Amino acid sequence: PRRAGPPATASGRRWRLALRAFATLAAGLLAAIATAAAATPVLRATGRIDDALELPQSVLGPSLTSVGPGSVLVALTAGMAGTVAYETGASAAVGVAISVTTIPAAAYLGAAYALGPGQDAAGALGVLSTNVACLVAASTITVWVQRRWRRRA
């Protein structure tokens, strides 16, 4: 059955697909943040996390709280590699590429929130936001280059 209203366009379908993909990514990241935030007090209560722990001074703290050229390069590369993997049928690599660049920062953000002030949750949010933006930018540019390349071939 046809729906009333304007006919669906390719552009409209692309935007709906993009919004659905973004919603899926956001839901996954929120789940990672919430899981880390919920697990942190449990780990602290069972003695697995020391009361004196300061996340920003931990081994991974600096890389998960401040954006640097390395984190940008990894996120850009992951976005490109994930798109190429998806286009060639190696879809598992897409999940790995996205996870490598987003889950550590998301988990840090959740743990920092649960541990309270002074844990640099804002820095982790900045890294996570930058990584997502770089993934999307690199993926978009990769698709654009692939389409241009195919037209010329």
Side-chain angles (χ1 to χ4, degrees):
R2 273 187 72 127
R3 291 184 285 165
T9 63
S11 177
R13 284 191 298 269
R14 286 186 191 128
W15 279 110
R16 282 193 301 278
L17 182 60
L19 287 173
R20 208 166 109 204
F22 181 76
T24 301
L25 177 62
L29 291 175
L30 287 173
I33 293 166
T35 300
T40 299
V42 173
L43 293 171
R44 182 170 258 178
T46 58
R48 301 291 294 170
I49 294 178
D50 187 6
D51 286 338
L53 174 68
E54 293 189 28
L55 283 177
Q57 281 69 48
S58 66
V59 174
L60 294 176
S63 66
L64 295 174
T65 57
S66 60
V67 176
S71 60
V72 170
L73 184 60
V74 167
L76 289 170
T77 304
M80 182 191 69
T83 300
V84 170
Y86 179 77
E87 294 282 323
T88 60
S91 59
V94 176
V96 171
I98 292 170
S99 296
V100 163
T101 59
T102 57
I103 297 303
Y108 186 103
L109 178 58
Y113 176 78
L115 291 172
Q119 301 299 330
D120 203 6
L125 181 59
V127 170
L128 180 59
S129 300
T130 300
N131 287 350
V132 169
C134 287
L135 280 168
V136 170
S139 297
T140 302
I141 291 168
T142 301
V143 168
W144 182 81
V145 168
Q146 286 177 329
R147 287 184 180 165
R148 295 279 178 184
W149 185 270
R150 286 181 194 139
R151 284 184 196 154
R152 292 184 184 180

